[in-house]
Amino acid sequence: MRSTRTRKTSALAVAAVATGLLAGGITAGGVFTMAESTDTATDTIANAAAAGPGKLSAVKGLKFTLGDRSVKLDWKKVAGADDYRIYAEYSCDNVPHSTSSYQLIKDRLGKTTEWTHQNIKATCVNYAVAAVRDGQQGVLPSVGKRVVVLMPNRDHSAAAQRFFSAVPRSGDQVARTRVASGKDRGIVLARAYIRNKTVFTDAIGDHRGWTADPAASAKITLAWNTGTGEVAAYAHKSCAVGATVPSGSVETLCRDALPLAFISDAASVGDTSKDARNLISVSRTGSGGLSLGVSAINSWERTCVGGACVGPGFGRINARLTLSPSKDTFTASLTADKFPAWEVLRYPHFVQGAPIGEARIIGFRDQTEIGDLTSGRQSTCTSKGPETLQFTNPMSC
């Protein structure tokens, strides 16, 4: 049946658009415009409540794929359908709303059985799809399919800013390089830090315990953006005296971090080396992971008068770390001095729901005593089980 739209139909269309925009998630490309609503065209309804069941069967197999503030819908073809209509409702209510209250957000799809909803501002979207033939719509399900939309992860953004674009903090050093890009599994951080366990480790350390904060202090941090291939090494300044206080921490007698350099096999540069740099090696593995080497040095180890250099003899932080792909994350294998502690974290690029920070713990390893920096004793540890949101999955050593 063909008919010319009336003012009432136009008013319904305008109401649908206004309601959808207030709900926060309908894009201009996904709704009727006023120009469309005044054309002579195949009957199109403005909302689900106006739809009368036709002879077409209900759409089945509705599935979705999440993107950055987008949802790609696809469904099974309905025999005899020559068009499809997509309806949506924007709420996260525990009790689902009837599809009779949903608003039309897209039609005139023809026989295609997929569509992508973009630029979504809502946290939750409930979808329903109906088949159409000759302008007559088939039945809608009584309840739609709820989708919790992926939003950019605030912690991922903070890590990207700190390690790949920002100027380092006063006294710190950063060096950047790049490896081949790959599947976007977010940003991975591996960092060695001196954990607060005694008065002595508080005085010389990073004045903290385990944390997933991207900006937390560490003697050396390695950051890898798995999607872009960017790699950064960040070295913190060395302070002879410090303490944890209620407002944070205080440090004094500090020296700027020594320069960073990328070389071929950093982990092999041991305590007897006179190289006054923080050395890093990085390469992709055959499995699509990353191999990292570290030989980091405290700035007070290089107190030089003329050509003679002396230091407290703390030694160098030596480590080899291999990250191997495992579904959407990695397993970690760490061979390192038993001092200091290590954390291996992952910040997914996108998270479901509101744009909050979210970190995943791949694994962590505690420290022994500072003498193990020069003892030659190392441990080999591997991450175990799935990654977690809290520090509950220590590496197995």
Side-chain angles (χ1 to χ4, degrees):
M1 176 180 73
R2 299 178 66 86
S3 64
T4 303
R5 298 183 187 276
T6 65
R7 291 183 180 179
K8 181 177 180 181
T9 305
S10 299
L12 283 170
V14 172
V17 173
T19 303
L21 288 172
L22 288 172
I26 299 180
T27 62
V31 298
F32 282 119
T33 64
M34 281 298 295
E36 290 173 327
S37 68
T38 55
D39 289 341
T40 299
T42 302
D43 279 349
T44 306
I45 59 174
N47 57 51
K55 296 181 180 180
L56 292 171
S57 61
V59 170
K60 297 180 180 180
L62 179 60
K63 297 184 294 185
F64 63 90
T65 304
L66 293 169
D68 177 12
R69 298 183 187 272
S70 70
V71 176
K72 179 183 178 182
L73 301 170
D74 64 85
W75 55 91
K76 292 182 179 179
K77 179 181 178 180
V78 174
D82 58 20
D83 195 8
Y84 295 93
R85 293 172 181 157
I86 300 175
Y87 297 88
E89 185 267 335
Y90 303 89
S91 78
C92 298
D93 294 348
N94 290 331
V95 178
H97 297 188
S98 167
T99 54
S100 64
S101 66
Y102 285 22
Q103 300 296 319
L104 177 68
I105 62 170
K106 184 65 179 177
D107 79 338
R108 301 179 184 178
L109 288 167
K111 295 184 178 181
T112 185
T113 57
E114 64 178 43
W115 178 70
T116 300
H117 191 182
Q118 297 179 324
N119 301 319
I120 303 171
K121 296 180 177 65
T123 299
C124 300
V125 187
N126 304 282
Y127 292 102
V129 180
V132 178
R133 180 172 61 202
D134 296 331
Q136 298 296 311
Q137 179 175 296
V139 296
L140 278 172
S142 58
V143 177
K145 179 179 285 292
R146 173 164 296 177
V147 178
V148 180
V149 182
L150 282 182
M151 304 277 186
N153 181 2
R154 186 175 61 195
D155 280 351
H156 181 283
S157 300
Q161 170 73 14
R162 175 171 171 79
F163 297 107
F164 304 122
S165 61
V167 174
R169 292 173 179 172
S170 177
D172 296 351
Q173 292 272 356
V174 67
R176 300 175 175 116
T177 188
R178 189 180 291 269
V179 295
S181 59
K183 179 180 177 180
D184 188 355
R185 293 180 171 91
I187 292 175
V188 176
L189 293 191
R191 54 194 182 193
Y193 84 103
I194 299 177
R195 189 163 84 88
N196 259 14
K197 297 183 75 174
T198 66
V199 173
F200 175 68
T201 54
D202 186 19
I204 67 166
D206 292 284
H207 319 297
R208 68 175 179 89
W210 307 110
T211 179
D213 182 354
S217 174
K219 297 308 173 186
I220 193 76
T221 300
L222 306 174
W224 175 32
N225 188 325
T226 61
T228 65
E230 294 170 286
V231 175
Y234 193 103
H236 186 58
K237 63 186 177 182
S238 299
C239 298
V241 180
T244 303
V245 297
S247 60
S249 64
V250 293
E251 295 177 321
T252 188
L253 297 178
C254 298
R255 283 190 170 178
D256 290 353
L258 293 170
L260 286 149
F262 290 100
I263 65 171
S264 60
D265 187 13
S268 66
V269 180
D271 298 326
T272 60
S273 172
K274 295 183 179 180
D275 195 324
R277 298 177 298 172
N278 292 292
L279 304 175
I280 309 296
S281 58
V282 57
S283 62
R284 291 301 298 264
T285 65
S287 64
L290 198 71
S291 177
L292 296 158
V294 175
S295 179
I297 187 171
N298 186 300
S299 301
W300 284 97
E301 287 292 306
R302 288 296 176 264
T303 302
C304 300
V305 178
C309 297
V310 296
F314 288 151
R316 304 178 76 98
I317 299 174
N318 289 97
R320 296 182 190 274
L321 174 69
T322 301
L323 298 166
S324 302
S326 177
K327 297 182 179 179
D328 289 331
T329 183
F330 298 88
T331 58
S333 176
L334 173 71
T335 298
D337 296 331
K338 293 184 176 182
F339 187 95
W342 279 85
E343 304 167 321
V344 185
L345 320 169
R346 184 176 72 91
Y347 304 105
H349 199 161
F350 304 104
V351 293
Q352 283 190 306
I356 59 175
E358 183 174 303
R360 309 287 178 85
I361 315 303
I362 295 175
F364 63 99
R365 193 217 67 180
D366 207 351
Q367 66 198 30
T368 55
E369 302 296 333
I370 194 169
D372 279 333
L373 267 178
T374 56
S375 69
R377 291 190 295 269
Q378 292 190 327
S379 62
T380 297
C381 308
T382 56
S383 58
K384 60 180 182 179
E387 59 188 10
T388 60
L389 297 176
Q390 304 293 330
F391 284 87
T392 56
N393 57 340
M395 289 179 156
S396 177
C397 301

